[in-house]
């Protein structure tokens, strides 16, 4: 089961304040579906949606290793 990001904002979540703030910020409106996050490829073999950050931008840049 994958509860999704909405759970992170619930009082029962143990997410850090910085993570909660990031999800409530304007940055959270800009997301991308990517296979860059290697951990998701290892766990599920499928791409994941994430807030666009330096990791995603670097991984999707032209010339980045697969």
């Amino acid at each position: 089961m994958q509860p999704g990001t909405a759970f992170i904002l619930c009082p029962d979540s143990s997410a850090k304040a910085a993570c909660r703030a990031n999800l409530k910020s304007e940055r959270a409106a800009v997301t991308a579906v990517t296979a860059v996050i290697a951990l998701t490829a290892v766990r599920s073999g499928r791409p994941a949606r994430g807030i666009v950050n330096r990791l995603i931008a670097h991984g999707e840049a032209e010339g980045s290793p697969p």
Side-chain angles (χ1 to χ4, degrees):
M1 180 183 150
Q2 186 177 11
T5 4
F7 174 73
I8 295 172
L9 297 176
C10 291
D12 295 341
S13 168
S14 61
K16 302 234 185 273
C19 181
R20 292 172 188 265
N22 200 19
L23 289 173
K24 292 178 182 179
S25 74
E26 291 181 19
R27 284 187 60 206
V30 182
T31 63
V33 175
T34 180
V36 168
I37 307 166
L39 184 59
T40 62
V42 170
R43 295 190 107 196
S44 70
R46 299 182 349 204
R49 178 170 294 281
I51 295 173
V52 176
N53 58 19
R54 288 183 296 173
L55 174 66
I56 292 175
H58 176 72
E60 293 185 339
E62 188 174 328
S64 288

